Amino acid sequence: MNKKTQLNIQGMSCASCVAHIEGDLNKKDGIQSARVNFATEQCQIEYDESKISQKEILQTIKKAGYTAIAQDDIDDNTESSHQDINNSNIDRDEVGGHDHSAHVAAESEKHIKQRLQRLVLAAILSVIILFLTFVVDIKSGSFIMMLLSIGVLYAGREFFQVGFPSLFRGRPDMNTLVALGTSAAFFYSAYNTLFVPDGVEYFMDVGIIITFILLGRYLEAQAKGKASEAIKKLLQLSAKVAHRVVSDDKVEDVPVDKLQKGDLLLVKPGEKIPVDGKIIKGSATVDESMVTGESIPVDKKTNDLVIGATINGNQTFTMEATKVGSETVLAHIVKMVQEAQMSRAPIQKLVDQVSKYFTWTVIVIAILTFAGWISMSVGFATALIYTVAVLIIACPCALGLATPISIVVGTGRGAGMGILIKNAESLEKMHKITAIAFDKTGTITKGHPEVQEWVASSKSAERDLAFAYVLESQSEHPLARSIVNWFQEVSTDSTAETLDDIEAVTGRGIQGKKDKVIYRVGSITFLRDSSVVLNENVLNKVEEYAHRGHTIIGFAKDSEFMGFFAVQDGIKESSVEAIKSLQNRGIRTIMLTGDNQSVAEEIGRQVGIDEVRAEVMPEDKVGVIKNLQDKGDFVAMVGDGINDSPALAQANVGISMGTGTDVAVESSDVVLVKGDLMKAVEAINLSEATLKNIKQNLFWAFIYNTVGIPVAALGFLNPAFSALAMAFSSVSVVLNALRLRRANIK
């Protein structure tokens, strides 16, 4: 039976560490896949537990020279193949249930604190060594400096504990380079102190090198912590306690992880909504920005759905819990962000190839540097110090961090904006989109009918319009509901009238009496068959609206036709702006819908889309996508229904609405939580910004090593300066990636 486990890895220092761990794990029988992320210091492993145990996996990582701590286990066989934004299967140990976030945060803080303690120890000892070097007579101070240097080496013991074993295993890494350089300088200096009275000593260099590298690692750990704040913030969003309604006059406070579906919960003003559910009593204005990225609060009324972790406004309401624990929107968001941050962008392949040979190449260059300077008769001490400079400046940390740290920050930024990116590949390639196809219903439109216009036939019709509301309020038909909603928006007198003998005529309409006067609401055919007079002018207007894709609902008083409601699936407020923004980027826009041609063309005209293809079957949508790809287009598909899932899977990038079906979400690469099309534009902008950031990181990482190593080999760099430059190279990469948190994406 296949399982997944997520591990925290300690002791990684560069990209070659990632390659070593993945290489050892993937060789093991029973391991299907192993992915290590240097930026998040995590490893995600899928394995067959009948062939290998988690204990054996941990031992494998330990033998490679690293420490692994298990976070959680996820049984793949319990995961549904049909998940959506409102229905995900996430281990309760991750969100809800037993929350690992506090433990992980504590471990991270402990790790950073240990780094700071070692840095402070090394810095204090190095300052004393520096003082002794320039103030105290070198002969009397040499032995003291040697002892102090041993203390510095102890503070930086991690380099030796990992570096030398890695070298003996034939897998040298960044720790190996530091260990070789500082060890050579220390032992040469110690030999001269003990046996050569006038020998050259480099205790100051050893102290400064170790201190600067420890400083770099401390700053890097701090910066990487900021880069992964998105997950921490998401985990901290959920409420801890809920007010469960026990009876009409009794409410008890219970932990959120103890809630069950069907529980009635009281939510007070200003509180976080504990879990996903629907309002059964009262109303609210809810701040959903932490989930959807939208800053404007949303008004909610009875029967409306609410999302766990969002914040109630200034009204108390009662809700029914419909999704708890691993099923909530927040749980699914956390899971998707975690998986995206663990994934690897295609551009990372170059770094992976380089890292396999980088450290060995540096060691060879260091040996050649030493041999070259010795052959020039500059003396052992000079040749040694130039060799140490080469070993120290050749830091592959920046190279290893360049891609994953940008992916971590980029996906975290997306999650905060209501854009869930499932994998790094999608984040990298979205900027390439040249054509984007949209489903109509639920994507460009809202997915439910709305009254677009009320067309009255006489002034008296307005006085009797309340009877239409009374009739339609007795029906659950979506078209009737659209009229009820419209009337509630435009009128404050929705309950002033009553009717008797209300009778629904299935599929046609509804009628009722008031003082022997019969009022009817329904199709034009229903009214005509009920002897309602429809003159040519009325019929022409009806035909005009019907041709533009509206559904016509007529209203009559006895035989007098009072007017009609033009009903149509409402266009989302963001659709026009989103399509215009895409076109401004040079992206071709296409609408694919199963609706008839006239309806499709009217919607297309209203939103300004480039091309409309109507009466398209699901399999035909796939064909359209393939045809565009064959012509050289890089195609995105945006949809929300089951019928869109084949096209979402076929497209180069599938974008689904979080408000859509589970199958559509599962088939896509990107999920727009709120179903707002402008988020698709923002996702493309985020992709562009992230890739630009990655390229900047890689450029400086490659340039740094390309220039730094030859300069050090030629004797132009002091080892202490090399250490400082190496320490800040990786920190600069992380800081550059953090700029994505403030980049203008909208």
Side-chain angles (χ1 to χ4, degrees), residues 345 347 402-403 405-407 410 427-432 585 683-701 733 736-740 743-745:
I347 199 171
T403 300
I405 199 70
S406 295
I407 295 297
L427 181 60
E428 180 186 325
K429 69 186 182 182
M430 269 190 294
H431 75 283
K432 299 178 183 178
R585 291 180 64 98
I684 295 171
N685 293 340
L686 179 62
S687 168
E688 196 170 61
T690 303
L691 186 66
K692 181 180 179 181
N693 194 272
I694 290 172
K695 288 180 176 179
Q696 290 169 348
N697 286 346
L698 288 175
F699 172 79
W700 288 112
V733 164
N736 184 54
L738 288 175
R739 291 192 308 112
L740 279 171
N744 184 17
I745 303 300

Side-chain angles (χ1 to χ4, degrees), residues 35 174 238-239 281 296 334 451 494 573 683-684 710:
R35 289 182 296 173
M174 179 261 178
S238 59
K281 183 180 180 181
I296 300 174
V334 170
V451 174
S494 58
E573 294 177 4
I684 295 171

Side-chain angles (χ1 to χ4, degrees), residues 57-259:
I57 292 172
L58 296 175
Q59 284 297 320
T60 300
I61 295 173
K62 185 177 181 180
K63 287 180 182 177
Y66 309 92
T67 302
I69 303 171
Q71 271 192 25
D72 51 72
D73 279 325
I74 309 168
D75 188 342
D76 264 3
N77 290 335
T78 65
E79 289 189 357
S80 168
S81 61
H82 304 301
Q83 298 174 335
D84 73 342
I85 197 68
N86 298 316
N87 182 20
S88 64
N89 255 325
I90 302 173
D91 197 293
R92 286 187 68 101
D93 283 358
E94 293 183 28
V95 181
H98 305 290
D99 187 358
H100 282 281
S101 60
H103 170 71
V104 173
E107 286 295 318
S108 176
E109 288 298 321
K110 179 182 176 183
H111 182 57
I112 292 174
K113 186 177 180 180
Q114 288 175 343
R115 286 208 171 282
L116 180 60
Q117 291 171 343
R118 293 177 185 181
L119 169 62
V120 171
L121 174 61
I124 291 172
L125 295 177
S126 296
V127 168
I128 298 173
I129 294 172
L130 193 64
F131 175 80
L132 292 173
T133 300
F134 291 106
V135 178
V136 180
D137 178 74
I138 195 69
K139 291 186 180 295
S140 59
S142 293
F143 189 76
I144 297 173
M145 286 192 291
M146 183 181 72
L147 295 177
L148 292 172
S149 294
I150 293 174
V152 175
L153 293 175
Y154 174 76
R157 59 190 179 278
E158 62 187 273
F159 306 123
F160 309 96
Q161 290 172 337
V162 177
F164 284 126
S166 296
L167 178 63
F168 298 146
R169 283 191 293 268
R171 293 177 170 181
D173 57 13
M174 179 261 178
N175 292 298
T176 305
L177 300 180
V178 176
L180 286 172
T182 53
S183 296
F186 173 78
F187 285 115
Y188 177 73
S189 301
Y191 177 81
N192 284 347
T193 296
L194 297 173
F195 304 110
V196 182
D198 297 320
V200 180
E201 295 158 353
Y202 296 108
F203 294 124
M204 181 186 72
D205 296 271
V206 171
I208 293 175
I209 288 170
I210 295 292
T211 301
F212 279 158
I213 298 175
L214 287 175
L215 173 63
R217 291 217 172 165
Y218 171 70
L219 294 175
E220 181 185 312
Q222 289 274 48
K224 286 200 297 187
K226 291 180 181 178
S228 58
E229 276 181 358
I231 286 288
K232 296 175 186 175
K233 287 181 179 178
L234 286 170
L235 288 168
Q236 292 166 1
L237 282 178
S238 59
K240 306 304 178 187
V241 177
H243 311 302
R244 184 163 58 190
V245 178
V246 180
S247 62
D248 291 341
D249 58 351
K250 185 178 180 181
V251 176
E252 63 178 2
D253 288 348
V254 295
V256 169
D257 61 321
K258 301 297 182 184
L259 295 178

